[in-house]
Coordinates of all heavy atoms in Angstrom, one line a residue:
M1 N -56.0 190.1 -114.0 CA -56.8 190.4 -112.9 C -58.0 191.2 -113.4 O -57.9 192.0 -114.3 CB -55.9 191.3 -112.0 CG -54.7 190.7 -111.4 SD -55.1 189.4 -110.2 CE -55.7 190.3 -108.8
P2 N -59.1 190.9 -112.8 CA -60.3 191.6 -113.2 C -60.3 193.0 -112.8 O -59.6 193.4 -111.8 CB -61.4 190.8 -112.5 CG -60.8 190.1 -111.3 CD -59.4 189.9 -111.8
R3 N -60.9 193.8 -113.5 CA -61.0 195.3 -113.2 C -62.5 195.7 -113.1 O -63.3 195.2 -113.9 CB -60.3 196.1 -114.3 CG -58.9 195.9 -114.3 CD -58.2 196.7 -115.4 NE -56.8 196.3 -115.5 CZ -56.0 197.1 -116.2 NH1 -56.3 198.2 -116.7 NH2 -54.7 196.6 -116.3
W4 N -62.7 196.6 -112.2 CA -64.1 197.1 -112.0 C -64.0 198.5 -111.6 O -63.3 198.9 -110.6 CB -64.9 196.3 -111.0 CG -66.3 196.8 -110.7 CD1 -67.3 197.0 -111.6 CD2 -66.8 197.2 -109.5 NE1 -68.4 197.4 -111.0 CE2 -68.1 197.6 -109.7 CE3 -66.3 197.3 -108.2 CZ2 -69.0 198.0 -108.7 CZ3 -67.1 197.7 -107.2 CH2 -68.4 198.1 -107.4
Q5 N -64.6 199.4 -112.4 CA -64.7 200.8 -112.0 C -66.1 201.0 -111.4 O -67.1 200.8 -112.1 CB -64.6 201.7 -113.3 CG -64.6 203.1 -113.0 CD -63.4 203.6 -112.1 OE1 -62.3 203.1 -112.3 NE2 -63.7 204.4 -111.2
A6 N -66.1 201.2 -110.1 CA -67.4 201.3 -109.4 C -68.1 202.5 -109.9 O -67.6 203.6 -110.0 CB -67.1 201.5 -107.9
P7 N -69.4 202.3 -110.2 CA -70.2 203.5 -110.6 C -70.5 204.4 -109.4 O -70.3 204.0 -108.3 CB -71.5 202.8 -111.1 CG -71.6 201.5 -110.6 CD -70.1 201.1 -110.3
A8 N -70.9 205.6 -109.7 CA -71.1 206.6 -108.7 C -72.1 206.1 -107.7 O -72.1 206.5 -106.5 CB -71.5 207.9 -109.3
N9 N -73.1 205.3 -108.1 CA -74.2 204.8 -107.2 C -73.9 203.5 -106.6 O -74.8 202.9 -105.9 CB -75.5 204.8 -107.9 CG -75.5 203.8 -109.1 OD1 -74.5 203.3 -109.5 ND2 -76.7 203.5 -109.6
A10 N -72.6 203.0 -106.7 CA -72.3 201.7 -106.1 C -72.4 201.7 -104.5 O -72.0 202.7 -103.9 CB -70.9 201.3 -106.5
L11 N -72.9 200.7 -104.0 CA -73.1 200.6 -102.5 C -71.7 200.5 -101.9 O -70.8 199.8 -102.4 CB -73.9 199.4 -102.1 CG -75.3 199.4 -102.6 CD1 -76.0 198.0 -102.2 CD2 -76.1 200.5 -101.9
P12 N -71.4 201.2 -100.8 CA -70.1 201.1 -100.2 C -69.7 199.7 -99.8 O -68.6 199.3 -99.9 CB -70.3 202.0 -98.9 CG -71.4 202.9 -99.2 CD -72.3 202.1 -100.2
E13 N -70.7 198.9 -99.4 CA -70.5 197.5 -99.0 C -69.9 196.7 -100.2 O -69.0 195.9 -100.1 CB -71.7 196.8 -98.5 CG -72.3 197.4 -97.2 CD -73.2 198.6 -97.5 OE1 -73.7 198.7 -98.6 OE2 -73.4 199.4 -96.6
L14 N -70.5 197.0 -101.4 CA -70.0 196.3 -102.6 C -68.6 196.7 -102.9 O -67.7 195.9 -103.3 CB -70.9 196.6 -103.8 CG -70.6 195.9 -105.1 CD1 -70.7 194.4 -104.9 CD2 -71.6 196.4 -106.1
I15 N -68.3 198.0 -102.8 CA -66.9 198.5 -103.0 C -65.9 197.8 -102.1 O -64.8 197.4 -102.5 CB -66.9 200.0 -102.9 CG1 -67.7 200.6 -104.1 CG2 -65.4 200.5 -103.0 CD1 -68.0 202.1 -103.9
T16 N -66.3 197.7 -100.8 CA -65.5 197.0 -99.8 C -65.3 195.6 -100.2 O -64.1 195.1 -100.1 CB -66.1 197.2 -98.4 OG1 -66.2 198.6 -98.1 CG2 -65.3 196.5 -97.4
Q17 N -66.4 194.9 -100.5 CA -66.3 193.5 -100.9 C -65.3 193.3 -102.1 O -64.5 192.4 -102.1 CB -67.6 192.9 -101.3 CG -68.5 192.5 -100.2 CD -69.8 191.9 -100.7 OE1 -70.4 192.5 -101.6 NE2 -70.3 190.9 -100.1
W18 N -65.4 194.2 -103.1 CA -64.6 194.1 -104.2 C -63.1 194.3 -103.9 O -62.3 193.5 -104.3 CB -65.0 195.1 -105.3 CG -64.1 195.0 -106.5 CD1 -63.1 195.8 -106.9 CD2 -64.2 194.1 -107.6 NE1 -62.5 195.4 -108.0 CE2 -63.2 194.3 -108.5 CE3 -65.1 193.0 -107.8 CZ2 -63.0 193.6 -109.6 CZ3 -64.9 192.2 -108.9 CH2 -63.8 192.5 -109.8
G19 N -62.9 195.2 -103.0 CA -61.5 195.5 -102.6 C -60.9 194.3 -101.9 O -59.7 193.9 -102.1
K20 N -61.7 193.6 -101.0 CA -61.2 192.4 -100.3 C -60.9 191.3 -101.3 O -60.0 190.5 -101.2 CB -62.2 192.0 -99.2 CG -62.2 193.0 -98.0 CD -63.2 192.5 -97.0 CE -63.2 193.5 -95.8 NZ -64.3 193.2 -94.8
Y21 N -61.8 191.2 -102.2 CA -61.7 190.1 -103.3 C -60.4 190.3 -104.0 O -59.6 189.4 -104.2 CB -62.9 190.1 -104.2 CG -62.7 189.3 -105.5 CD1 -62.6 188.0 -105.4 CD2 -62.6 190.0 -106.7 CE1 -62.4 187.2 -106.6 CE2 -62.4 189.3 -107.8 CZ -62.3 187.9 -107.8 OH -62.1 187.2 -109.0
I22 N -60.2 191.5 -104.5 CA -59.0 191.8 -105.3 C -57.7 191.6 -104.5 O -56.7 191.0 -105.0 CB -59.0 193.2 -105.9 CG1 -60.1 193.3 -107.0 CG2 -57.7 193.7 -106.4 CD1 -59.9 192.4 -108.2
Q23 N -57.7 192.0 -103.2 CA -56.6 191.7 -102.3 C -56.3 190.2 -102.2 O -55.2 189.7 -102.3 CB -56.8 192.3 -101.0 CG -56.6 193.8 -100.9 CD -56.8 194.4 -99.5 OE1 -57.6 193.8 -98.7 NE2 -56.2 195.5 -99.2
S24 N -57.4 189.4 -102.0 CA -57.2 188.0 -101.8 C -56.8 187.3 -103.1 O -56.0 186.4 -103.1 CB -58.5 187.4 -101.4 OG -58.9 187.9 -100.1
L25 N -57.4 187.8 -104.2 CA -57.0 187.2 -105.5 C -55.5 187.5 -105.9 O -54.8 186.7 -106.4 CB -57.9 187.7 -106.6 CG -57.6 187.2 -108.0 CD1 -57.8 185.6 -108.0 CD2 -58.6 187.8 -109.0
T26 N -55.1 188.7 -105.5 CA -53.7 189.1 -105.7 C -52.8 188.2 -104.9 O -51.7 187.7 -105.4 CB -53.5 190.6 -105.3 OG1 -54.3 191.4 -106.2 CG2 -52.0 191.0 -105.5
L27 N -53.1 187.9 -103.6 CA -52.4 187.0 -102.8 C -52.3 185.7 -103.4 O -51.2 185.1 -103.5 CB -53.0 187.0 -101.4 CG -52.4 185.9 -100.5 CD1 -51.0 186.4 -100.0 CD2 -53.3 185.7 -99.3
H28 N -53.4 185.2 -103.9 CA -53.4 183.8 -104.5 C -52.5 183.8 -105.8 O -51.7 182.9 -105.9 CB -54.9 183.4 -104.9 CG -54.9 182.2 -105.7 ND1 -54.7 180.9 -105.1 CD2 -55.1 182.0 -107.0 CE1 -54.8 180.0 -106.0 NE2 -55.0 180.6 -107.2
E29 N -52.7 184.8 -106.6 CA -51.9 184.8 -107.9 C -50.4 185.0 -107.6 O -49.5 184.4 -108.2 CB -52.4 185.9 -108.8 CG -53.8 185.6 -109.4 CD -53.9 184.3 -110.1 OE1 -52.9 183.8 -110.7 OE2 -55.0 183.7 -110.0
K30 N -50.1 185.7 -106.5 CA -48.7 185.9 -106.1 C -48.1 184.5 -105.7 O -46.9 184.3 -105.9 CB -48.6 186.8 -104.9 CG -47.2 187.2 -104.5 CD -47.2 188.2 -103.4 CE -45.8 188.6 -102.9 NZ -44.9 187.5 -102.6
G31 N -48.9 183.6 -105.1 CA -48.4 182.3 -104.8 C -47.9 181.5 -106.1 O -46.9 180.9 -106.0
H32 N -48.7 181.7 -107.2 CA -48.2 181.1 -108.4 C -46.9 181.8 -108.9 O -46.0 181.1 -109.3 CB -49.3 181.3 -109.5 CG -50.5 180.5 -109.4 ND1 -50.5 179.1 -109.6 CD2 -51.8 180.8 -109.1 CE1 -51.7 178.7 -109.5 NE2 -52.5 179.7 -109.1
I33 N -46.9 183.1 -108.9 CA -45.7 183.8 -109.3 C -44.5 183.5 -108.5 O -43.4 183.3 -109.1 CB -46.0 185.3 -109.3 CG1 -47.1 185.6 -110.4 CG2 -44.7 186.1 -109.6 CD1 -47.7 187.0 -110.3
D34 N -44.6 183.5 -107.2 CA -43.5 183.2 -106.3 C -42.9 181.8 -106.6 O -41.6 181.7 -106.7 CB -43.9 183.3 -104.9 CG -44.1 184.7 -104.4 OD1 -43.8 185.7 -105.1 OD2 -44.7 184.9 -103.3
H35 N -43.7 180.9 -106.9 CA -43.2 179.5 -107.2 C -42.4 179.5 -108.5 O -41.4 178.9 -108.6 CB -44.4 178.5 -107.2 CG -43.8 177.1 -107.3 ND1 -43.8 176.5 -108.5 CD2 -43.3 176.3 -106.4 CE1 -43.3 175.2 -108.3 NE2 -43.0 175.1 -107.1
I36 N -42.9 180.2 -109.5 CA -42.2 180.3 -110.8 C -40.9 181.0 -110.6 O -39.9 180.5 -111.1 CB -43.1 181.0 -111.9 CG1 -44.3 180.1 -112.2 CG2 -42.3 181.3 -113.1 CD1 -44.0 178.8 -112.8
V37 N -40.9 182.1 -109.9 CA -39.7 182.9 -109.7 C -38.6 182.0 -109.0 O -37.5 182.0 -109.3 CB -40.0 184.2 -108.9 CG1 -38.7 184.8 -108.4 CG2 -40.7 185.1 -109.8
D38 N -39.1 181.2 -108.0 CA -38.2 180.4 -107.2 C -37.7 179.2 -108.0 O -36.7 178.6 -107.6 CB -38.9 179.9 -106.0 CG -39.1 181.0 -104.9 OD1 -38.5 182.1 -105.1 OD2 -39.9 180.8 -104.0
H39 N -38.3 178.8 -109.1 CA -38.0 177.6 -109.8 C -37.7 177.7 -111.3 O -37.5 176.7 -112.0 CB -39.1 176.5 -109.6 CG -39.2 176.1 -108.1 ND1 -40.0 176.8 -107.3 CD2 -38.6 175.2 -107.4 CE1 -39.9 176.2 -106.1 NE2 -39.0 175.3 -106.1
Y40 N -37.7 178.9 -111.8 CA -37.6 179.0 -113.3 C -36.2 178.6 -113.8 O -36.0 178.1 -114.9 CB -37.8 180.5 -113.7 CG -36.7 181.4 -113.5 CD1 -35.7 181.6 -114.5 CD2 -36.5 182.0 -112.3 CE1 -34.6 182.5 -114.3 CE2 -35.4 182.9 -112.1 CZ -34.5 183.1 -113.1 OH -33.4 183.9 -112.9
L41 N -35.2 178.6 -112.9 CA -33.9 178.2 -113.3 C -33.8 176.7 -113.7 O -33.0 176.4 -114.5 CB -32.9 178.5 -112.2 CG -32.4 180.0 -112.0 CD1 -31.5 180.1 -110.9 CD2 -31.8 180.5 -113.3
S42 N -34.7 175.9 -113.2 CA -34.7 174.5 -113.6 C -35.0 174.4 -115.0 O -34.4 173.5 -115.7 CB -35.7 173.7 -112.7 OG -37.0 174.2 -112.9
V43 N -35.8 175.2 -115.6 CA -36.1 175.2 -117.0 C -34.9 175.7 -117.8 O -34.5 175.1 -118.8 CB -37.4 176.0 -117.3 CG1 -37.7 176.0 -118.8 CG2 -38.6 175.5 -116.5
K44 N -34.4 176.8 -117.3 CA -33.2 177.3 -118.0 C -32.1 176.3 -118.1 O -31.4 176.1 -119.1 CB -32.7 178.6 -117.3 CG -31.5 179.2 -117.9 CD -31.1 180.5 -117.1 CE -29.8 181.0 -117.7 NZ -29.2 182.1 -116.9
I45 N -31.8 175.7 -117.0 CA -30.7 174.7 -116.9 C -31.0 173.5 -117.8 O -30.1 173.0 -118.5 CB -30.5 174.2 -115.4 CG1 -29.9 175.3 -114.6 CG2 -29.7 172.9 -115.3 CD1 -30.0 175.1 -113.1
A46 N -32.3 173.1 -117.9 CA -32.7 172.0 -118.8 C -32.4 172.3 -120.2 O -31.9 171.5 -121.0 CB -34.1 171.6 -118.5
I47 N -32.7 173.5 -120.6 CA -32.5 174.0 -122.0 C -31.0 174.1 -122.3 O -30.6 173.6 -123.3 CB -33.2 175.3 -122.2 CG1 -34.7 175.1 -122.1 CG2 -32.8 175.9 -123.6 CD1 -35.5 176.5 -122.1
Q48 N -30.3 174.6 -121.3 CA -28.9 174.8 -121.5 C -28.1 173.5 -121.6 O -27.1 173.4 -122.3 CB -28.2 175.6 -120.4 CG -28.6 177.1 -120.5 CD -28.1 177.9 -119.3 OE1 -28.0 177.4 -118.2 NE2 -27.8 179.2 -119.5
G49 N -28.6 172.5 -121.0 CA -28.0 171.1 -121.0 C -28.5 170.3 -122.2 O -28.0 169.2 -122.4
A50 N -29.3 170.8 -123.0 CA -29.9 170.1 -124.1 C -29.2 170.5 -125.4 O -28.4 171.4 -125.5 CB -31.4 170.4 -124.3
T51 N -29.5 169.7 -126.5 CA -29.1 170.1 -127.8 C -30.2 170.9 -128.5 O -31.3 170.9 -128.0 CB -28.8 168.8 -128.6 OG1 -30.0 168.1 -128.8 CG2 -27.7 167.9 -127.9
C52 N -29.9 171.4 -129.7 CA -31.0 172.1 -130.4 C -32.2 171.2 -130.6 O -33.3 171.7 -130.6 CB -30.4 172.7 -131.7 SG -29.3 174.1 -131.5
S53 N -31.9 170.0 -130.9 CA -33.0 169.1 -131.2 C -33.8 168.6 -130.0 O -34.9 168.1 -130.1 CB -32.5 167.9 -132.1 OG -31.6 167.1 -131.4
T54 N -33.2 168.7 -128.8 CA -33.8 168.2 -127.6 C -34.3 169.3 -126.6 O -34.9 169.0 -125.6 CB -32.9 167.2 -126.9 OG1 -31.7 167.9 -126.4 CG2 -32.5 166.0 -127.7
A55 N -33.9 170.5 -127.0 CA -34.2 171.6 -126.0 C -35.7 171.7 -125.7 O -36.1 171.9 -124.5 CB -33.7 172.9 -126.6
E56 N -36.6 171.6 -126.7 CA -38.0 171.8 -126.4 C -38.5 170.6 -125.5 O -39.2 170.9 -124.5 CB -38.8 171.7 -127.7 CG -40.3 171.7 -127.6 CD -40.9 173.0 -127.0 OE1 -40.3 174.0 -127.1 OE2 -42.0 172.9 -126.5
A57 N -38.1 169.4 -125.8 CA -38.5 168.3 -124.9 C -38.0 168.4 -123.5 O -38.7 168.2 -122.5 CB -38.1 167.0 -125.6
E58 N -36.8 168.9 -123.4 CA -36.2 169.0 -122.0 C -36.9 170.1 -121.3 O -37.1 170.0 -120.1 CB -34.7 169.2 -122.1 CG -33.9 168.0 -122.6 CD -34.1 166.8 -121.8 OE1 -34.1 166.9 -120.5 OE2 -34.3 165.7 -122.4
A59 N -37.2 171.2 -122.0 CA -37.9 172.3 -121.3 C -39.3 171.9 -120.9 O -39.7 172.2 -119.7 CB -38.0 173.5 -122.3
Q60 N -40.0 171.1 -121.7 CA -41.3 170.6 -121.3 C -41.2 169.7 -120.1 O -42.1 169.8 -119.2 CB -42.0 169.9 -122.5 CG -42.3 170.8 -123.6 CD -43.3 172.0 -123.2 OE1 -44.2 171.8 -122.4 NE2 -43.1 173.2 -123.8
K61 N -40.2 168.9 -120.1 CA -40.0 168.0 -118.9 C -39.8 168.8 -117.6 O -40.3 168.5 -116.6 CB -38.9 167.0 -119.1 CG -39.2 165.8 -119.9 CD -38.1 164.7 -119.8 CE -37.1 164.9 -120.8 NZ -36.1 163.8 -120.9
A62 N -39.0 169.9 -117.8 CA -38.6 170.7 -116.6 C -39.9 171.5 -116.1 O -40.0 171.9 -115.0 CB -37.5 171.6 -116.9
L63 N -40.8 171.7 -117.0 CA -42.0 172.5 -116.7 C -43.0 171.6 -115.9 O -43.9 172.2 -115.3 CB -42.6 173.1 -117.9 CG -41.9 174.3 -118.5 CD1 -42.5 174.6 -119.9 CD2 -42.1 175.5 -117.6
V64 N -42.9 170.3 -116.0 CA -43.9 169.4 -115.4 C -44.1 169.7 -113.9 O -45.2 169.9 -113.5 CB -43.6 167.9 -115.7 CG1 -44.4 167.0 -114.8 CG2 -43.8 167.6 -117.2
P65 N -43.0 169.8 -113.1 CA -43.3 170.1 -111.7 C -43.9 171.4 -111.4 O -44.6 171.6 -110.5 CB -41.9 170.0 -111.1 CG -41.0 169.4 -112.1 CD -41.6 169.5 -113.4
L66 N -43.5 172.4 -112.3 CA -44.1 173.7 -112.1 C -45.6 173.7 -112.4 O -46.4 174.3 -111.6 CB -43.4 174.8 -113.0 CG -42.1 175.3 -112.5 CD1 -41.0 174.2 -112.5 CD2 -41.6 176.5 -113.3
R67 N -46.0 173.0 -113.4 CA -47.4 172.9 -113.8 C -48.2 172.1 -112.7 O -49.3 172.4 -112.4 CB -47.6 172.2 -115.1 CG -47.1 173.2 -116.2 CD -47.3 172.5 -117.6 NE -47.0 173.5 -118.7 CZ -46.2 173.2 -119.7 NH1 -45.7 172.0 -119.8 NH2 -46.0 174.1 -120.6
E68 N -47.5 171.0 -112.2 CA -48.1 170.2 -111.1 C -48.3 171.1 -109.9 O -49.4 171.0 -109.2 CB -47.3 169.0 -110.8 CG -47.3 167.9 -111.9 CD -46.4 166.8 -111.6 OE1 -45.5 166.8 -110.7 OE2 -46.5 165.8 -112.3
F69 N -47.4 171.9 -109.5 CA -47.5 172.8 -108.4 C -48.8 173.7 -108.6 O -49.6 173.8 -107.7 CB -46.3 173.7 -108.2 CG -46.6 174.8 -107.1 CD1 -46.4 174.5 -105.8 CD2 -47.0 176.0 -107.5 CE1 -46.7 175.5 -104.8 CE2 -47.3 177.0 -106.5 CZ -47.1 176.7 -105.2
D70 N -48.9 174.3 -109.8 CA -50.0 175.2 -110.1 C -51.3 174.5 -109.9 O -52.3 175.0 -109.3 CB -49.9 175.8 -111.5 CG -49.0 177.0 -111.5 OD1 -48.6 177.6 -110.5 OD2 -48.6 177.4 -112.7
S71 N -51.4 173.3 -110.5 CA -52.6 172.5 -110.4 C -52.9 172.1 -108.9 O -54.1 172.3 -108.5 CB -52.5 171.2 -111.2 OG -53.6 170.5 -111.2
N72 N -51.9 171.7 -108.2 CA -52.2 171.3 -106.8 C -52.5 172.5 -106.0 O -53.4 172.5 -105.1 CB -50.9 170.6 -106.2 CG -50.7 169.3 -106.8 OD1 -51.6 168.6 -107.3 ND2 -49.5 168.8 -106.8
Y73 N -51.8 173.6 -106.2 CA -52.1 174.9 -105.5 C -53.5 175.3 -105.7 O -54.3 175.7 -104.8 CB -51.1 175.9 -105.9 CG -51.2 177.3 -105.3 CD1 -51.1 177.5 -103.9 CD2 -51.5 178.4 -106.1 CE1 -51.1 178.7 -103.4 CE2 -51.5 179.7 -105.5 CZ -51.4 179.8 -104.2 OH -51.5 181.1 -103.6
D74 N -54.0 175.3 -107.0 CA -55.4 175.7 -107.3 C -56.4 174.7 -106.6 O -57.4 175.1 -106.1 CB -55.6 175.8 -108.8 CG -55.1 177.1 -109.3 OD1 -55.0 178.1 -108.5 OD2 -54.8 177.2 -110.5
S75 N -56.0 173.4 -106.7 CA -56.9 172.4 -106.0 C -57.0 172.7 -104.5 O -58.1 172.7 -104.0 CB -56.5 171.0 -106.3 OG -56.6 170.7 -107.7
E76 N -55.9 172.8 -103.9 CA -55.8 173.0 -102.4 C -56.5 174.3 -102.0 O -57.1 174.4 -100.9 CB -54.4 173.0 -101.9 CG -53.7 171.7 -102.0 CD -52.2 171.7 -101.8 OE1 -51.7 172.8 -101.4 OE2 -51.6 170.7 -102.0
T77 N -56.4 175.3 -102.8 CA -57.0 176.6 -102.4 C -58.4 176.9 -103.1 O -58.9 178.0 -103.0 CB -56.1 177.8 -102.8 OG1 -55.9 177.9 -104.2 CG2 -54.7 177.7 -102.1
K78 N -58.8 175.9 -103.9 CA -60.1 176.1 -104.7 C -59.9 177.3 -105.5 O -60.8 178.2 -105.5 CB -61.3 176.1 -103.8 CG -61.5 174.8 -103.1 CD -62.8 174.8 -102.3 CE -62.9 173.4 -101.5 NZ -64.1 173.4 -100.7
H79 N -58.8 177.4 -106.2 CA -58.5 178.6 -107.1 C -58.6 179.9 -106.3 O -59.0 180.9 -106.8 CB -59.4 178.6 -108.3 CG -59.2 177.5 -109.2 ND1 -58.3 177.5 -110.2 CD2 -59.8 176.3 -109.3 CE1 -58.3 176.4 -110.9 NE2 -59.2 175.6 -110.3
G80 N -58.1 179.8 -105.1 CA -58.0 181.0 -104.2 C -59.2 181.2 -103.3 O -59.2 182.1 -102.4
E81 N -60.2 180.5 -103.5 CA -61.4 180.6 -102.6 C -61.1 180.5 -101.1 O -61.6 181.3 -100.3 CB -62.5 179.6 -103.0 CG -63.8 179.9 -102.4 CD -64.9 178.9 -102.8 OE1 -64.8 178.4 -104.0 OE2 -65.8 178.7 -102.0
T82 N -60.3 179.5 -100.8 CA -59.9 179.4 -99.4 C -59.1 180.5 -98.8 O -58.9 180.7 -97.6 CB -59.2 178.0 -99.1 OG1 -58.0 178.0 -99.8 CG2 -60.1 176.9 -99.5
Q83 N -58.6 181.3 -99.8 CA -57.8 182.5 -99.4 C -58.6 183.8 -99.4 O -58.1 184.9 -99.3 CB -56.5 182.6 -100.3 CG -55.6 181.4 -100.2 CD -54.6 181.4 -101.4 OE1 -55.0 181.3 -102.5 NE2 -53.3 181.4 -101.1
G84 N -59.9 183.6 -99.7 CA -60.8 184.8 -99.7 C -61.1 185.3 -101.1 O -61.7 186.3 -101.3
A85 N -60.5 184.6 -102.1 CA -60.7 185.1 -103.5 C -62.0 184.5 -104.1 O -62.0 183.7 -105.0 CB -59.5 184.7 -104.4
A86 N -63.1 185.0 -103.5 CA -64.4 184.6 -104.0 C -65.3 185.8 -104.0 O -65.3 186.5 -103.0 CB -65.0 183.4 -103.2
F87 N -66.0 186.0 -105.1 CA -66.9 187.2 -105.2 C -68.2 186.8 -105.7 O -68.3 186.1 -106.7 CB -66.3 188.3 -106.1 CG -67.0 189.6 -106.0 CD1 -66.7 190.5 -105.0 CD2 -67.9 189.9 -106.9 CE1 -67.4 191.7 -104.9 CE2 -68.6 191.1 -106.9 CZ -68.3 192.0 -105.9
P88 N -69.3 187.3 -105.1 CA -69.4 188.0 -103.8 C -69.2 187.1 -102.6 O -69.4 186.0 -102.5 CB -70.7 188.6 -103.9 CG -71.6 187.8 -104.8 CD -70.6 187.1 -105.7

């Protein structure tokens, strides 16, 4: 997450804009996190069902839908822009 320490002479409007941006970006990033939390077990299960020599490949296969979700989510939200995560 980006950080900004407002200087003493920062305009109040800019500080408000930044706060709204950070809130919206947090909401957007939470969408990514929530999906991973809800689906990480599919990767664990894939690894547990594999052998030592196939575990990496199985994990990568199980990650495909998670990566697709992230890509689609970012496309649909324009990387959070449609959720208000655009500055200024």
Side-chain angles (χ1 to χ4, degrees):
M1 297 293 288
R3 294 181 188 195
W4 176 58
Q5 183 64 41
N9 63 346
L11 295 174
E13 298 84 21
L14 184 59
I15 295 169
T16 299
Q17 280 182 316
W18 180 260
K20 289 179 181 178
Y21 165 69
I22 290 298
Q23 284 180 331
S24 297
L25 183 58
T26 299
L27 173 71
H28 173 76
E29 294 303 327
K30 186 178 180 308
H32 287 288
I33 293 166
D34 288 348
H35 187 261
I36 293 297
V37 168
D38 290 344
H39 296 89
Y40 80 94
L41 283 177
S42 63
V43 179
K44 179 182 176 186
I45 291 166
I47 293 168
Q48 288 175 329
T51 65
C52 288
S53 62
T54 63
E56 174 67 22
E58 293 303 315
Q60 292 301 323
K61 280 196 269 186
L63 285 169
V64 168
L66 279 67
R67 290 183 177 131
E68 287 176 350
F69 171 85
D70 279 344
S71 180
N72 291 337
Y73 180 62
D74 279 336
S75 291
E76 291 169 7
T77 65
K78 296 183 180 178
H79 293 274
E81 187 177 335
T82 63
Q83 297 165 301
F87 189 82

